[in-house]
Amino acid sequence: MNTEPQIKATVTRRFSSSPEQVFDAFLDPKKAGKFMFVTETGKMVLVEIDARVGGTFSFVDRRDGEDVVHTGEYLEIDRPHRLAFTLSAEKYGQEIDRVVIEITRLEVGCELTLTHEMSPAWVDRKELMEQGWAEILESAAETLSLKEMAVSFLRLVATGKVREAYRRHIGPGFRHHNPFFRGDADSLMLAMEENAAKNPHKILEVKRALEEGDIVAVHSHVKQKQEDLGGAVVHIFRFNNDRIVEFWDLGQPIPENSPNENGMF
């Protein structure tokens, strides 16, 4: 293992769940097996985690009849702040790298920063590695709770990845209640794509997310453009079998001047 790696791939993601929930997901075989090194066409056939410093892990994903194995050893376990481990994947000729996960508590949820330290020989794969970890963190969010799925849907839509949001999260028989469009899934999807094309720099800042049974409510500050004041928006989701099947959205524009000293959020 290179003790002074020259290449660092770094990704950051916010979660609505608590730091403890996010941290624990990486050490829970049932949860980690749903997002760590998982591929769309593969099947996770083995997950072994010995969650202690000096303990090891092994993930085996069967891809087109071939087993792809990721292994490593835990170097630091400081719940819920920091997790560090070595990482190797023999199939890809990957040397023994080092991965560090740092979690910061926020007013709502937490922010996770993952740094993958690797050999200089991998410099041309840095961007690909960051993309892969970003997808893993996206899948991790979906594993945690319904409210994480709802927030994941909103963030994908806000960044213009509307069809990916639908593929990941929308269930059969979906309907919505936006009065400006027909109530089927395709009509809303096309409207979302049109909005994304007109506003490629949209900003979505989740303020709070509430979950009760199969219902999730997300309260956000949404700005179509950086310079806009934006609006306070509440998105309400109903889930069935971990898929969104009904959707409401309500909003108030933020005025330039307001007598309310508490603000909109």
Side-chain angles (χ1 to χ4, degrees), residues 233-253:
V233 182
V234 176
H235 296 92
I236 303 173
F237 304 81
R238 182 171 67 84
F239 284 81
N240 185 37
N241 293 326
D242 292 340
R243 290 279 177 165
I244 300 165
V245 293
E246 197 164 9
F247 176 73
W248 297 259
D249 54 332
L250 311 165
Q252 288 180 303

Side-chain angles (χ1 to χ4, degrees), residues 159-180:
T159 55
K161 300 175 182 177
V162 178
R163 292 187 183 257
E164 182 179 348
Y166 267 64
R167 177 181 61 80
R168 285 178 176 266
H169 299 296
I170 297 299
F174 171 85
R175 62 178 184 170
H176 72 90
H177 299 270
N178 189 305
F180 298 104

Side-chain angles (χ1 to χ4, degrees), residues 13-28 30-32 34-35 103 109-110 112 136-152 155 169 211 216 239 242:
R13 194 191 191 285
R14 289 192 173 191
F15 292 81
S16 296
S17 297
S18 70
E20 290 79 9
Q21 288 174 307
V22 175
F23 186 95
D24 291 347
F26 284 88
L27 299 179
D28 182 333
K30 290 184 178 179
K31 290 183 178 179
K34 294 180 180 179
F35 63 85
I103 301 175
C110 63
L112 182 151
I136 285 175
L137 296 185
E138 190 68 36
S139 295
E142 297 164 14
T143 301
L144 288 167
S145 65
L146 294 182
K147 67 180 180 181
E148 288 289 358
M149 294 182 197
V151 171
S152 172
R155 285 181 171 146
H169 299 296
E211 178 178 342
V216 172
F239 284 81
D242 292 340

Side-chain angles (χ1 to χ4, degrees), residues 116-265:
H116 185 152
E117 303 172 351
M118 52 192 160
S119 165
W122 284 64
V123 61
D124 60 337
R125 304 193 67 176
K126 176 177 179 292
E127 185 175 341
L128 186 64
M129 192 70 73
E130 289 175 340
Q131 180 182 343
W133 279 116
E135 291 174 357
I136 285 175
L137 296 185
E138 190 68 36
S139 295
E142 297 164 14
T143 301
L144 288 167
S145 65
L146 294 182
K147 67 180 180 181
E148 288 289 358
M149 294 182 197
V151 171
S152 172
F153 175 82
L154 293 175
R155 285 181 171 146
L156 287 169
V157 169
T159 55
K161 300 175 182 177
V162 178
R163 292 187 183 257
E164 182 179 348
Y166 267 64
R167 177 181 61 80
R168 285 178 176 266
H169 299 296
I170 297 299
F174 171 85
R175 62 178 184 170
H176 72 90
H177 299 270
N178 189 305
F180 298 104
F181 312 102
R182 293 184 60 84
D184 60 283
D186 287 346
S187 295
L188 185 62
M189 181 179 69
L190 292 173
M192 287 176 167
E193 287 186 319
E194 182 179 352
N195 180 270
K198 290 181 178 178
N199 303 286
H201 304 295
K202 178 186 288 189
I203 297 171
L204 171 84
E205 183 181 355
V206 174
K207 297 296 185 179
R208 52 192 58 84
L210 308 174
E211 178 178 342
E212 183 174 353
D214 61 355
I215 300 294
V216 172
V218 182
H219 185 204
S220 306
H221 183 188
V222 178
K223 298 198 291 185
Q224 302 296 337
K225 297 179 175 60
Q226 176 68 44
E227 62 273 16
D228 292 345
L229 289 173
V233 182
V234 176
H235 296 92
I236 303 173
F237 304 81
R238 182 171 67 84
F239 284 81
N240 185 37
N241 293 326
D242 292 340
R243 290 279 177 165
I244 300 165
V245 293
E246 197 164 9
F247 176 73
W248 297 259
D249 54 332
L250 311 165
Q252 288 180 303
I254 297 176
E256 289 190 16
N257 298 295
S258 169
N260 191 323
E261 69 279 9
N262 298 317
M264 295 282 284
F265 301 103

